[in-house]
Amino acid sequence: MTAEKKLYIKTYGCQMNVYDSERMAEVMGGQGYGVTDDPAEADMILLNTCHIREKAAEKVYSELGRLKPLKAAKPGLKIGVAGCVAQAEGEEILARAPMVDLVVGPQSYHRLPAMERAVTGGAKAVDTDFPVEDKFEDMSRPRMRKGPTAFLTVQEGCDKFCSFCVVPYTRGAEISRPADRIIQEAAQLVAAGVREITLLGQNVNAYHGHAGGLAGLIRALAGIDGLDRIRFTTSHPNDMDDALIEAHGACDKLMPYLHLPVQSGSDRILKAMNRKHTAESYLRLIDRLRDARPDLALSGDFIVGFPGETEADFEDTLRLVEDVRYASAYSFKYSPRPGTPAAERDQLPEDVKTERLARLQTLLARQQAAAQDAMIGRTVGVLFEKRGRMERQVVGKSDHLMAVHAEGPDSLIGRIVPVEIVATAPHSLAGRCVGDA
Ligand code: 5AD
Ligand code: SF4
């Protein structure tokens, strides 16, 4: 059956939004919508938005501005705002951007078909509920897959309330999906050609839908034939339990990479952030993880310029980074978010934030280059995902989640191949295939 109508989805923000966009496309597939990459041919445009920092949220309104001519040219075009800006701003979006037809929060997108019908009748539709029914179980259509890697949301929401963060408000309280549903979805993905699954959750290691927690779920998933690689993100240091630490050493399919945000290296700032851990406890946790898996590649998130951060606090962060030696990391200037406690405090000047971010990013870039250089001469497993930009070039990710490109035929896509690393570039490695998996 050919789809009569076209849906264009633009995704902002985190990997969970990428997953949610796929699920929204699947739900709308049931309503006769096929996905398009071209907004000009769309009958419906959805912006799946991010509210984590001010810049991310503002992008939505600039994009809506850009879409105005399309809407004017095609009055039947439906425009929807989904995701965390939808959740945070709800009806206000309609007031600020009257061309928007529907606003749907991240917990309600299984209701999109009914909303689409309502707006087809000329109404506006806003749904930012946290419904009692489970959106995941309502979406009965099978997962569509294109490549050999996939995201799979296992946990959502957060009860931690870090004082800078909107997530507990936009994504709601922590919920874990039942393990049997996740295993079923994973098996479906594997049957469609997926070999690597990244388990997603805002607080993924707080997962409690399996009696053995996240480690138990990983062990169960590792039993699926054809699923070769498992990753998970994002974790909170306080939920890194013994079983999960041990899994990093004991489970071959669990890849040697961990994203474990610390945000700051200053105990004073960590306290003000309501993180409920210290720099020292984080460093001891890293030691234990490295004891379990010595080649573990570590990644993190950092916020600079949090209210009250002094030069000495910032230097504590630099020191922690020096101690850990990250393979990669994300760093941000603090951005006051409406409704969060830290937004009410005295803010640091922008130039101080800019200067600190530049210093931190210089250090992190140096560490990333060192982690990549250390790969030269080593042979690593690479799961090739797609063609590269050069002829006869394929690109994929190593076990340590580093991007690798090598010369080879398209038939390598979807396979895990031993690759000898021969050179590094700023964000990728060049390798030579040395055999077949
Ligand atoms: N300002 C800057 N960065 C933030 N993050 C979350 N909230 C804010 C904020 N208000 C960062 C944290 C988090 C990542 C997803 O985004 O580092 O780990
Ligand atoms: Fe936000 Fe993560 Fe803190 Fe939860 S643990 S409040 S998602 S930064």
Side-chain angles (χ1 to χ4, degrees), residues 52 158-162 164-168 202-203 236 263 275:
I52 197 91
C158 183
D159 297 339
K160 296 269 188 304
F161 291 91
C162 297
F164 51 81
C165 187
V166 286
V167 165
Q202 269 94 27
N203 231 231
H236 191 287
Q263 314 295 354
R275 290 289 293 181

Side-chain angles (χ1 to χ4, degrees), residues 195-199 204-205 214-223 227-233 235 240-259 289 292-297 398-401:
R195 300 192 63 180
E196 170 179 314
I197 291 181
T198 302
L199 307 175
V204 71
N205 57 342
L214 186 63
L217 178 67
I218 290 170
R219 225 175 300 116
L221 290 169
L227 176 60
D228 297 306
R229 290 174 150 193
I230 301 169
R231 307 182 189 275
F232 61 89
T233 196
S235 299
M240 218 57 221
D241 62 18
D242 293 349
L244 195 51
I245 295 171
E246 196 191 319
H248 278 278
C251 179
D252 290 344
K253 291 187 178 181
L254 183 57
M255 291 292 100
Y257 171 91
L258 180 64
H259 182 66
L289 283 157
R293 181 79 201 223
D295 69 333
L296 189 68
S398 73
D399 294 352
H400 298 94
L401 203 63

Side-chain angles (χ1 to χ4, degrees), residues 82-100:
C84 291
V85 175
Q87 189 63 43
E89 298 189 2
E91 301 258 352
E92 283 171 46
I93 296 176
L94 297 181
R96 195 166 154 189
M99 34 113 55
V100 171

Side-chain angles (χ1 to χ4, degrees), residues 114-363:
M115 296 175 78
E116 192 261 357
R117 282 191 294 275
V119 301
T120 302
K124 301 267 181 191
V126 177
D127 192 336
T128 52
D129 284 354
F130 288 100
V132 284
E133 79 270 11
D134 182 345
K135 69 175 179 190
F136 295 105
E137 306 322 328
D138 219 58
M139 301 200 294
S140 45
R141 292 182 63 80
R143 301 297 320 275
M144 322 191 274
R145 263 333 303 158
K146 283 188 249 121
T149 63
F151 295 130
L152 203 174
T153 294
V154 304
Q155 179 280 340
E156 204 166 341
C158 183
D159 297 339
K160 296 269 188 304
F161 291 91
C162 297
S163 61
F164 51 81
C165 187
V166 286
V167 165
Y169 311 96
T170 57
R171 291 274 172 173
E174 244 176 76
I175 62 116
S176 291
R177 293 177 69 191
D180 57 341
R181 295 308 179 94
I182 293 165
I183 293 164
Q184 194 185 349
E185 189 174 330
Q188 235 182 47
L189 289 166
V190 171
V194 167
R195 300 192 63 180
E196 170 179 314
I197 291 181
T198 302
L199 307 175
L200 300 181
Q202 269 94 27
N203 231 231
V204 71
N205 57 342
Y207 176 78
H208 58 265
H210 186 285
L214 186 63
L217 178 67
I218 290 170
R219 225 175 300 116
L221 290 169
I224 300 178
D225 273 347
L227 176 60
D228 297 306
R229 290 174 150 193
I230 301 169
R231 307 182 189 275
F232 61 89
T233 196
T234 287
S235 299
H236 191 287
N238 292 357
D239 291 315
M240 218 57 221
D241 62 18
D242 293 349
L244 195 51
I245 295 171
E246 196 191 319
H248 278 278
C251 179
D252 290 344
K253 291 187 178 181
L254 183 57
M255 291 292 100
Y257 171 91
L258 180 64
H259 182 66
L260 194 62
V262 63
Q263 314 295 354
S264 167
S266 152
D267 287 345
R268 222 174 53 81
I269 295 300
L270 286 169
K271 196 166 188 340
M273 287 176 163
N274 193 32
R275 290 289 293 181
K276 300 196 169 82
H277 61 76
T278 62
E280 184 60 23
S281 68
Y282 178 83
L283 291 171
R284 296 293 74 82
L285 178 58
I286 300 290
D287 288 344
R288 292 183 61 207
L289 283 157
R290 283 190 166 138
D291 283 345
R293 181 79 201 223
D295 69 333
L296 189 68
L298 280 157
S299 160
D301 289 339
F302 295 90
I303 295 177
V304 301
F306 188 79
E309 184 188 72
T310 62
E311 173 63 21
D313 292 319
F314 175 65
E315 284 169 12
D316 286 345
T317 299
L318 295 179
R319 216 166 359 255
L320 178 139
V321 171
E322 296 275 13
D323 278 355
V324 173
R325 287 169 288 113
Y326 288 93
S328 65
Y330 304 86
S331 46
F332 314 97
K333 289 184 208 175
Y334 170 68
S335 168
R337 306 309 292 129
T340 59
E344 310 297 319
R345 302 179 193 158
D346 286 344
Q347 303 297 317
L348 260 60
E350 192 61 24
D351 57 341
V352 172
K353 294 184 190 177
T354 305
E355 192 260 347
R356 288 181 188 165
L357 186 65
R359 280 158 70 198
L360 176 59
Q361 290 188 336
T362 303
L363 173 59

